[in-house]
Amino acid sequence: MAGGEGGSAGAMGGAMWGGMFEGGAEAVFRALNDSLPFDWRLVQEDVRGSIAWGRAIASAGVFSEAELAEVVRALGAIGEEAAGLGGPPVESGAEDVHTWVEQRLIARAGELGKRLHTGRSRNDQVATDLRLWAKSACGTLIEAVALVRGALIDVAEREAETAMPAYTHLQRAQPITAGHWALAYEAMLARDARRLVLARESADACPLGCAALAGTTLAVDREAIARDLGFMRAAENSIDAVSDRDFVLDLIHACVQCATHLSRLGEDLIIYASAEFAFVRMADGVTSGSSLMPQKKNPDACELLRGSAGRVLGRYAGFAATLKGLPTAYNKDLQEDKEAVFDAVDRTRACLVLAERVVAGLVFDRERCARAAETGFLNATELADYLVSKGVAFRDAHDAVGRCVRHAMSKGVGLESLAVIREVEPRVGDDAAAWLTVARMLERRGALGGTSPVRVREAAGAARSRLVSERA
Ligand code: ARG
């Protein structure tokens, strides 16, 4: 990666723009300017885009049939050559992946290789490559999201009857079923999948043929190029096409939302797995021990899910800030797009794969969950509902039950101790006992979206069929 020496290779070793320049580029400049170490990931997309461009300019008369066939053959071989390399060939001196592909093409096809860049710019080229990559990344992420959703639906089916306390403000609120809790996360991830579909649509326009910014002089059919590369459409405005990175932000944003959901899932499980709660145990394979305290089983996987959300959000914030002050059309700042989106996608994908393992290995301590759901006055709302059924207005019932809770607390009993409750609220009859059981509380929440075991089973089934049809 040392500075180039000029000469026939140009001012920067192997540069494609050296004609006007004298002397080599500063090594410190090259270190920051060269993107090959990271844009190497786009090499197959660059080869595909180059083949499509070769075909397009052949129809505009730049290559004969036979010449095009040779260029396409050489590009195919370059794709294979790239696949065989362990990593970016930085010793080539190529500034970026586009330069490398072109260098190799010239090495293989000589003068024909030098003609491929006719009417094309790296500006429309890189935007095309990255859009191709983003589209396929969305597909990969949607698949990974689907696996976590499947694992959550499994939990919902297994634990449709498992009562546990639910919390608001991290204070015991009302009983729910553990299956209902799992489906809450499934719902979040289903929205993430939808957002990824939208991010894929956002990337689904082809900039090739927009050249540097003003459009190409060659008589190419841009719609045909778009179709050739599997894009839904050709990008409309050439200036916008070379500088639009909305699709990058849309994809990172989808990652941010997804990583945030996984972070909250991780946080719940860290709490639920603590000795104080002990609602769940995590599989050994996603936890770690302590180098000092032999008794420890630490929920590192969940902590990493939680920690990753900040990192992915940082990628969004960082790249959004890069974009905000850019003047019209391509600027080198845009090169920041790649590390941002690669890292956001890689980390989100890794988190999804990990989350699936965490969820699949969860074991609920049903006894402990049930006992926790029976204490802490989770049935206070129920007692108020009972009084309402006896004709008391809800606001008065709320107030009365508040007094009951206070009295029960002072006696060290729960609301089920009806004799104690009657000391402050004589309207509580023997029939209240049935209202206050956890099973009854769960059962009563049978309206759409509620936590009753029947509803949870039904919702798990519906989620499963949605997942299956989305994947079909
Ligand atoms: N490596 C560059 C990038 O990633 C490719 C585009 C270069 N364009 C240019 N006009 N220098 O953005």
Side-chain angles (χ1 to χ4, degrees):
M1 292 239 303
E5 289 303 315
S8 63
M12 273 163 87
M16 40 159 75
W17 42 259
M20 194 185 83
F21 290 77
E22 255 179 47
E26 295 274 5
V28 286
F29 168 56
R30 292 210 57 179
L32 204 55
N33 186 59
D34 287 8
S35 51
L36 186 67
F38 52 87
D39 67 16
W40 178 245
R41 277 181 84 156
L42 299 176
V43 68
Q44 297 302 336
E45 285 78 7
D46 201 73
V47 166
R48 276 179 67 196
S50 295
I51 291 174
W53 185 245
R55 288 196 191 112
I57 62 175
S59 31
V62 175
F63 294 128
S64 69
E65 280 288 314
E67 289 169 339
L68 172 64
E70 194 181 332
V71 167
V72 169
R73 209 173 21 250
L75 284 166
I78 292 166
E80 280 168 30
E81 179 186 341
L85 296 175
V90 287
E91 70 291 344
S92 66
E95 177 187 337
D96 54 26
V97 68
H98 325 292
T99 317
W100 185 82
V101 171
E102 189 170 327
Q103 266 180 18
R104 298 302 302 139
L105 185 63
I106 293 167
R108 284 173 183 271
E111 199 270 336
L112 287 182
K114 291 186 183 174
R115 276 197 249 158
L116 181 67
H117 210 56
T118 316
R120 182 177 71 166
S121 159
R122 280 183 296 165
N123 299 350
D124 57 346
Q125 194 177 352
V126 71
T128 304
D129 293 1
L130 195 58
R131 281 172 179 273
L132 287 170
W133 185 89
K135 281 173 61 182
S136 108
C138 288
T140 306
L141 287 173
I142 290 167
E143 255 318 288
V145 169
L147 294 180
V148 187
R149 289 168 68 190
L152 287 164
I153 296 168
D154 292 343
V155 171
E157 281 168 351
R158 263 199 317 272
E159 311 297 341
E161 255 114 67
T162 306
M164 67 181 246
Y167 300 78
T168 60
H169 312 269
L170 215 50
Q171 305 291 314
R172 285 192 185 181
Q174 290 179 334
I176 54 166
T177 53
H180 199 50
W181 167 85
L183 288 181
Y185 282 96
E186 196 282 328
M188 296 177 220
L189 291 172
R191 291 196 297 276
D192 293 334
R194 181 77 202 123
R195 259 186 291 274
L196 285 162
V197 169
L198 295 175
R200 186 163 55 193
E201 280 173 31
S202 168
D204 210 356
C206 183
L208 209 53
C210 289
L213 85 163
T216 195
T217 51
L218 296 176
V220 292
D221 179 350
R222 290 200 49 232
E223 298 289 350
I225 301 172
R227 274 196 305 277
D228 191 9
L229 287 170
F231 282 105
M232 220 158 58
R233 58 188 188 280
E236 274 181 30
N237 176 292
S238 66
I239 301 170
D240 181 46
V242 294
S243 59
D244 170 17
R245 295 296 184 275
D246 291 3
F247 71 99
V248 170
L249 282 186
D250 289 342
L251 174 49
I252 304 178
H253 175 249
C255 290
V256 170
Q257 292 276 67
C258 182
T260 300
H261 293 145
L262 298 180
S263 171
R264 297 187 68 183
L265 173 69
E267 169 67 357
D268 268 4
L269 291 175
I270 289 165
I271 294 170
Y272 294 166
S274 69
E276 285 68 20
F277 283 72
F279 294 166
V280 290
R281 280 190 308 280
M282 287 180 211
D284 283 359
V286 293
T287 56
S288 78
S290 156
S291 58
L292 189 143
M293 300 163 280
Q295 85 286 7
K296 293 268 289 201
K297 183 166 169 180
N298 296 325
D300 299 44
C302 288
E303 291 164 2
L304 289 164
L305 294 180
R306 196 175 57 188
S308 294
R311 172 184 176 126
V312 177
L313 174 59
R315 290 303 192 172
Y316 185 91
F319 188 58
T322 296
L323 290 177
K324 71 172 264 303
L326 295 188
T328 300
Y330 182 85
N331 299 269
K332 201 49 161 290
D333 319 42
L334 289 175
Q335 183 163 284
E336 294 295 325
D337 56 4
K338 282 170 278 300
E339 284 167 296
V341 73
F342 292 162
D343 185 59
V345 167
D346 288 348
R347 181 51 70 100
T348 304
R349 170 134 194 268
C351 285
L352 286 163
V353 173
L354 181 58
E356 189 278 334
R357 292 288 72 210
V358 169
V359 172
L362 287 179
V363 177
F364 280 82
D365 184 336
R366 293 177 185 158
E367 280 287 295
R368 172 111 186 168
C369 287
R371 256 183 288 124
E374 278 158 11
T375 51
F377 299 97
L378 294 163
N379 50 9
T381 316
E382 238 55 31
L383 187 57
D385 283 355
Y386 166 83
L387 290 174
V388 167
S389 80
K390 300 289 168 192
V392 182
F394 182 78
R395 197 44 61 213
D396 294 333
H398 185 285
D399 192 61
V401 175
R403 278 183 281 106
C404 293
V405 170
R406 194 184 163 97
H407 184 61
M409 274 176 170
S410 74
K411 300 280 174 178
V413 297
L415 294 176
E416 320 69 54
S417 301
L418 297 182
V420 176
I421 299 311
R422 271 189 214 111
E423 290 165 17
V424 292
E425 181 44 74
R427 286 172 293 191
V428 173
D430 284 342
D431 55 342
W435 282 70
L436 300 181
T437 64
V438 171
R440 175 74 185 275
M441 284 190 275
L442 294 176
E443 227 168 78
R444 286 186 66 225
R445 282 158 178 83
L448 180 68
T451 196
S452 82
V454 174
R455 272 295 182 190
V456 169
R457 282 200 189 290
E458 194 182 283
R464 180 89 66 199
S465 357
R466 260 196 314 273
L467 185 56
V468 168
S469 68
E470 280 174 35
R471 293 176 88 179

